Amino acid sequence: MNISTSLRQASLPMALTAAVMLAVSACGGGDAGSNSTSEKLSGTVKVDGSSTVAPLSTAAAQLFQTQNPGVRVTVGTSGTGGGFEKFCNGETDISNASRAIKDEEKAACDKKGIKFEQFQVANDGLSVVVSKDNDFVQCLTVAQLKKIWEPGSKVTNWNQVDPKFPDAKLELFGAGTDSGTFDYFTKEINGKEKASRTDYNPSEDDNVTVRGVSGSKGGLGYFGLSYYEENKDKLKLVKIDGGNGCVEPTTQTVQDGTYKPLSRPLFIYPNAASLDKKPVEAYVEFYVANHADIAKKSLFVPLNAAQEAQLKTALEKLRTQHGS
């Protein structure tokens, strides 16, 4: 397989790669999607955007390229906002996004004549994590998270969050300002997108947050649930009380909506004009046909039946826009 990624892309763990290869083997190499291996495809598919969605699109690429070794899929991670900038400038075929496209981004695409459809490809729960060495935090309320993260917050010690917590320095790690994860977290916790204290350690690469939190006894960070799943040996998951008691993010609580308020949909946005390129068309069709396996292999929460129906409708709308 020939997958090229940007330097900041979150790499898939070896276990995931092995699982993907096992899934391909189980499918017999020919039944996992609508693309036929009898047609020799070659060319490139350019994907960029959310670092959270990157493992999904990379897993899709690995499965797809096993059947189509002549196709090269590149998956960059410039953040949801950065990805839409490239997408609406015609630089990429597909934009990964951990939030819905904004009106100003739609306007930028319209200006360049970029037509697209929104595909929800999986569900995710934002996970709040601390170091394995943290033995005092089990659950945080939304009010406590807001106290920590709101603009102008002066909370620098755990005992300022809760007097029961010890006198320990609080060190914060989180998503960069171009990230859809940043937009989502700030909206749900602080009530407004991009409303956040600025004196924390930001990064578009969630692996930086993993290293930061795991290396700091007083560390606290947030990112997509899959990054916790991939690094649970280094991190401790914090339950969240959204008003109905402490709930841990799991496949069930994310899909049924009981993990509040940090459950969210994940998207890809294919460019309708890119369907002119056979490799892109085949990759998009493969992604839709195999969304459940792709989500499971990359440790995300698969779509429910209603969401799956919407995904198939979105594919038909994209084909209509393309005229195919």
Side-chain angles (χ1 to χ4, degrees):
M1 290 180 285
N2 183 15
I3 298 180
S4 172
T5 61
S6 71
L7 291 177
R8 293 191 299 170
Q9 179 176 331
S11 59
L12 288 171
M14 289 181 66
L16 172 57
T17 302
V20 168
M21 293 304 296
L22 181 61
V24 173
S25 176
C27 290
D31 298 327
S34 59
N35 178 57
S36 172
T37 55
S38 62
E39 181 182 356
K40 298 294 184 181
L41 292 176
S42 63
T44 61
V45 181
K46 296 181 180 179
V47 186
D48 206 321
S50 167
S51 62
T52 300
V53 183
L56 276 163
S57 292
T58 302
Q62 288 181 322
L63 284 164
F64 177 74
Q65 289 177 143
T66 298
Q67 297 186 17
N68 300 279
V71 179
R72 180 171 175 259
V73 181
T74 64
V75 183
T77 55
S78 58
T80 296
F84 278 133
E85 285 183 20
K86 293 181 179 181
F87 181 72
C88 294
N89 200 38
E91 298 174 31
T92 57
D93 300 303
I94 299 168
S95 202
N96 290 333
S98 56
R99 59 160 171 80
I101 191 169
K102 297 179 179 179
D103 288 342
E104 57 267 32
E105 292 164 339
K106 289 180 182 178
C109 277
D110 287 343
K111 188 175 181 180
K112 294 281 187 161
I114 304 295
K115 296 181 180 181
F116 57 85
E117 286 295 333
Q118 174 180 285
F119 288 26
Q120 182 180 346
V121 290
N123 297 287
D124 187 26
L126 288 191
S127 55
V128 176
V129 295
V130 294
S131 166
K132 279 280 191 182
D133 295 330
N134 185 317
D135 58 2
F136 54 88
V137 177
Q138 308 299 328
C139 177
L140 290 171
T141 67
V142 172
Q144 287 174 323
L145 286 173
K146 183 177 181 182
K147 184 177 181 180
I148 294 169
W149 286 99
E150 65 187 344
S153 173
K154 302 301 181 184
V155 175
T156 57
N157 194 293
W158 277 103
N159 62 16
Q160 293 174 274
V161 179
D162 187 326
K164 297 178 183 177
F165 293 159
D167 178 5
K169 181 182 177 181
L170 176 65
E171 190 172 3
L172 298 174
F173 301 84
T177 56
D178 273 343
S179 170
T181 297
F182 176 77
D183 292 343
Y184 188 81
F185 183 84
T186 51
K187 180 180 180 181
E188 296 301 322
I189 298 302
N190 296 330
K192 183 180 179 181
E193 283 189 6
K194 300 189 182 299
S196 173
R197 67 189 295 172
T198 57
D199 57 336
Y200 72 101
N201 299 283
S203 178
E204 306 295 348
D205 184 346
D206 293 323
N207 288 307
V208 172
T209 299
V210 170
R211 291 192 293 270
V213 175
S214 63
S216 170
K217 186 174 182 178
L220 174 76
Y222 63 89
F223 41 51
L225 179 59
S226 66
Y227 284 91
Y228 166 73
E229 295 289 349
E230 293 170 7
N231 296 279
K232 59 174 59 179
D233 59 324
K234 305 171 188 172
L235 299 167
K236 175 182 171 181
L237 190 64
V238 178
K239 296 178 181 179
I240 303 300
D241 184 350
N244 294 309
C246 298
V247 179
E248 181 176 323
T250 64
T251 295
Q252 181 177 342
T253 61
V254 169
Q255 201 169 47
D256 66 20
T258 56
Y259 180 65
K260 298 178 179 179
L262 295 178
S263 297
R264 61 175 176 172
L266 298 178
F267 307 104
I268 63 170
Y269 287 78
N271 183 339
S274 290
L275 295 188
D276 284 337
K277 296 181 280 188
K278 290 296 183 182
V280 176
E281 180 182 32
Y283 175 70
V284 170
E285 291 177 345
F286 183 92
Y287 211 137
V288 171
N290 296 277
H291 66 86
D293 284 340
I294 291 165
K296 290 174 184 176
K297 298 303 182 292
S298 47
L299 306 179
F300 286 97
V301 179
L303 303 178
N304 59 35
Q307 292 167 337
E308 182 177 20
Q310 291 174 350
L311 176 60
K312 292 177 180 177
T313 297
L315 178 58
E316 292 307 313
K317 287 182 178 179
L318 186 72
R319 287 172 174 152
T320 298
Q321 287 210 53
H322 174 250
S324 59

